[in-house]
Amino acid sequence: MESALSIGRRFRSHLSFLISSPYQQFIAADPFGGMYLAKEQLAQAQLADADLERRLSAELEREDVPWDVAIADGDALSAMTLGATLADLAIVSLGAGDRHGLRTPTIAADLALTVPIPVLAMPVDAPPIDLDAPVMVAWNGSPQAASALRAGVPLMGDARQVILVSVGEDDGRIAAEDALLYMSRHGVHGEWRRESKGVDTAEEVLERIAAEIEPGLIVMGAYGRARLRETLFGGVTRYLLEVARAPLLLAH
């Protein structure tokens, strides 16, 4: 919420807050093929949603950005997908980590594959986004990386430093020099940092550089490889969704 407000103030944006209410979960089936509605539980959920809407609206009344709050019938992914059709940016949480500090898969990964806009995924233990802090762009020359870079340029304008990071050989057809040229045409002057992979994986190298740079934002393409392959064997997207300490701007 604080990150949304910060972005809203910087870009004079309208903020839409969406409360997802999957009421279909209160419809159950019996062994004989019948269906029934858990009316009492549904009523309690509706009251809780209405209370959340009132509390959120009361907090937003004190802010200096235009806003609205809506309650959507449906699961979070479908509600956000529909809400994003006429939006410029979707902001979601990455969820809490387990005792090892790893996060389980969240809506951010699926949302990045279903909406035509960038997704800003916020670690729950991170401070609100700092638009003046350095920005790290994970670059591999893929169309997904280019899409994320293009989507992220508006958020880079006030960054103290923008670093395009490549690990090993680019496996895409878009040169890093072209990415830097594109940014410069939009008033963002970045630098290219090329790292050898060595014994570490690309995601481990990116995590190490992020710890060194301490970026306020990491920009990356989502699922440059097949989603199933990343789920089975791992990949940069999955890894950073699990361990990143900075906000992630994802685009597919």
Side-chain angles (χ1 to χ4, degrees), residues 128-228:
I129 190 170
D130 182 358
L131 296 173
D132 299 311
V135 173
M136 183 177 106
V137 180
W139 184 259
N140 64 358
S142 68
Q144 292 82 9
S147 179
L149 173 67
R150 191 169 59 249
V153 161
L155 297 176
M156 302 178 191
D158 296 320
R160 291 193 298 273
Q161 185 181 31
V162 178
I163 303 176
L164 200 75
V165 180
S166 299
V167 181
E169 295 293 329
D170 284 355
D171 55 11
R173 293 180 295 176
I174 307 170
E177 294 88 347
D178 291 336
L180 293 172
L181 181 60
Y182 173 82
M183 289 193 297
S184 69
R185 287 170 176 164
H186 290 271
V188 177
H189 303 290
E191 58 186 89
W192 182 25
R193 178 168 172 175
R194 187 169 180 173
E195 296 283 326
S196 59
K197 187 178 295 186
V199 297
D200 294 326
T201 63
E203 47 266 36
E204 289 170 337
V205 175
L206 289 172
E207 183 187 15
R208 172 173 54 80
I209 295 174
E212 174 191 329
I213 297 173
E214 296 185 344
L217 179 68
I218 297 174
V219 177
M220 60 180 291
Y223 296 110
R225 299 188 300 183
R227 175 71 181 275
L228 177 61

Side-chain angles (χ1 to χ4, degrees), residues 5 31 88 95 104 115 139 149 225 248:
L5 289 168
D88 300 302
T104 56
V115 298
W139 184 259
L149 173 67
R225 299 188 300 183
L248 293 173

